[in-house]
Amino acid sequence: MLRLLPWLVVLAPAVVRGTELPATFRAIPGVAQLQINGLQVRARMIASSLAPAGACAQLAKHWGAGANAGWTARCQRVGRWLLVSHPVGRFVEAAQLEADADGSIGFLSAVDPFAAHASGAHPRLPLPAGARLVNTVRSDLDRDSVFQFTIELPWTPAVSLARLRGLARKSGWVAAAAPASDVVDFQRGDIAARAIGLGSARGCSLLLIEHRPAGHAP
C-alpha cells in the first residue's frame, strides 16, 4: 500500500456505491478529488452506527462474502484508525474508521496500484541537504491547490525548522513562527506554506503544507 499521512491512511473512491455497504453504514455525500504520490484518488466519507471495532468486523465479513468468498479481510490498527481492505478487480478497496459520537466515521477508498503515476509534485519551499521526501498528497480546490508533503530530516525539529527558515529567507520567503514553537509559516508572493516539525526516531518528521493558486505547475 502507499505510505500516507497518519491521519489520511487511505481515501475513497469512484467504484464504491452506498448499496455495497452493510445496512449500518451510510456514505456521506460529496467526493474529493485527490492525488496521492502521483495516483488519482476520489475520496468519500462514510459513517456507521456501530463502534469502530464492530463496524470494521462487519465490513470485513461483508467483504469476505459473495464475489470475494474465500478472501479473508482483517481489521488492523494503524495509529488511531482501524483499517480493513480487500481486492475489487484491479483495485484495492479499503476503509478506515475511528470513533464518533454516533458510532464511527471514516473514509472509503479504492486505488489501482498498477495505474500510471502523474508527474510528482515537489515543495516550492527550499529544503536543506539531507531532507528526504517520503509522501505527497495533493487536493485541488476551486481557487487553489493544497500540497501536503511528509519530509524526513536527520536533525531535531528545532534544528530542522531553523535550517528551513534560513534557506527560505535566502530564497525570498518571509518566515514567521506560529504560537507553537514547532510551527513556522512562510509566504512568497501568492504561495503560502506551513511547516510543522515532529520528533521521530530518525530526527524530525516534517509536515509541510503548501497552498498554491489554481493553475500553478506542480
Side-chain angles (χ1 to χ4, degrees), residues 33-36 121 136-140 145-148 216-218:
Q33 301 286 346
L34 301 165
Q35 190 180 101
I36 302 176
T136 301
V137 177
R138 172 180 177 171
S139 55
D140 293 313
S145 296
V146 181
F147 295 80
Q148 299 176 83
H216 267 241

Side-chain angles (χ1 to χ4, degrees), residues 71-94:
W71 171 266
T72 302
R74 294 186 176 87
C75 296
Q76 302 177 51
R77 174 66 61 180
V78 181
R80 76 174 192 262
W81 301 98
L82 272 177
L83 174 68
V84 61
S85 62
H86 75 136
V88 182
R90 71 178 188 275
F91 292 90
V92 175
E93 186 176 59

Side-chain angles (χ1 to χ4, degrees), residues 32 45 81 85 98-99 104 139 204:
M45 294 185 67
W81 301 98
S85 62
E98 67 172 350
S104 57
S139 55
C204 176

Side-chain angles (χ1 to χ4, degrees), residues 16-217:
V16 177
R17 298 181 294 277
T19 54
E20 297 176 353
L21 296 170
T24 60
F25 282 82
R26 62 186 177 89
I28 298 173
V31 176
Q33 301 286 346
L34 301 165
Q35 190 180 101
I36 302 176
N37 293 340
L39 285 176
Q40 297 294 332
V41 181
R42 297 182 68 197
R44 178 170 296 150
M45 294 185 67
I46 56 173
S48 173
S49 58
L50 301 178
C56 190
Q58 185 185 65
L59 197 54
K61 181 178 180 181
H62 181 75
W63 282 349
N68 270 344
W71 171 266
T72 302
R74 294 186 176 87
C75 296
Q76 302 177 51
R77 174 66 61 180
V78 181
R80 76 174 192 262
W81 301 98
L82 272 177
L83 174 68
V84 61
S85 62
H86 75 136
V88 182
R90 71 178 188 275
F91 292 90
V92 175
E93 186 176 59
Q96 64 184 77
L97 299 162
E98 67 172 350
D100 178 72
D102 299 319
S104 57
I105 195 165
F107 299 93
L108 193 61
S109 77
V111 62
D112 180 358
F114 302 105
H117 286 57
S119 58
H122 297 279
R124 293 293 179 82
L125 200 69
L127 301 178
R132 186 171 71 91
L133 178 62
V134 297
N135 191 73
T136 301
V137 177
R138 172 180 177 171
S139 55
D140 293 313
L141 308 176
D142 290 339
R143 296 183 179 180
D144 66 357
S145 296
V146 181
F147 295 80
Q148 299 176 83
F149 303 101
T150 303
I151 300 159
E152 289 185 354
L153 300 107
W155 313 288
T156 65
V159 172
S160 297
L161 289 171
R163 295 193 179 200
L164 195 65
R165 291 179 71 172
L167 280 175
R169 285 172 174 163
K170 291 178 181 178
S171 300
W173 293 77
V174 176
S181 60
D182 58 354
V183 178
V184 180
D185 290 322
F186 299 88
Q187 184 83 37
R188 188 181 69 177
D190 52 6
I191 300 178
R194 167 164 284 193
I196 304 169
L198 303 171
S200 71
R202 297 183 179 181
C204 176
S205 181
L206 184 76
L207 176 61
L208 180 62
I209 304 169
E210 289 188 4
H211 289 258
R212 307 174 191 171
H216 267 241

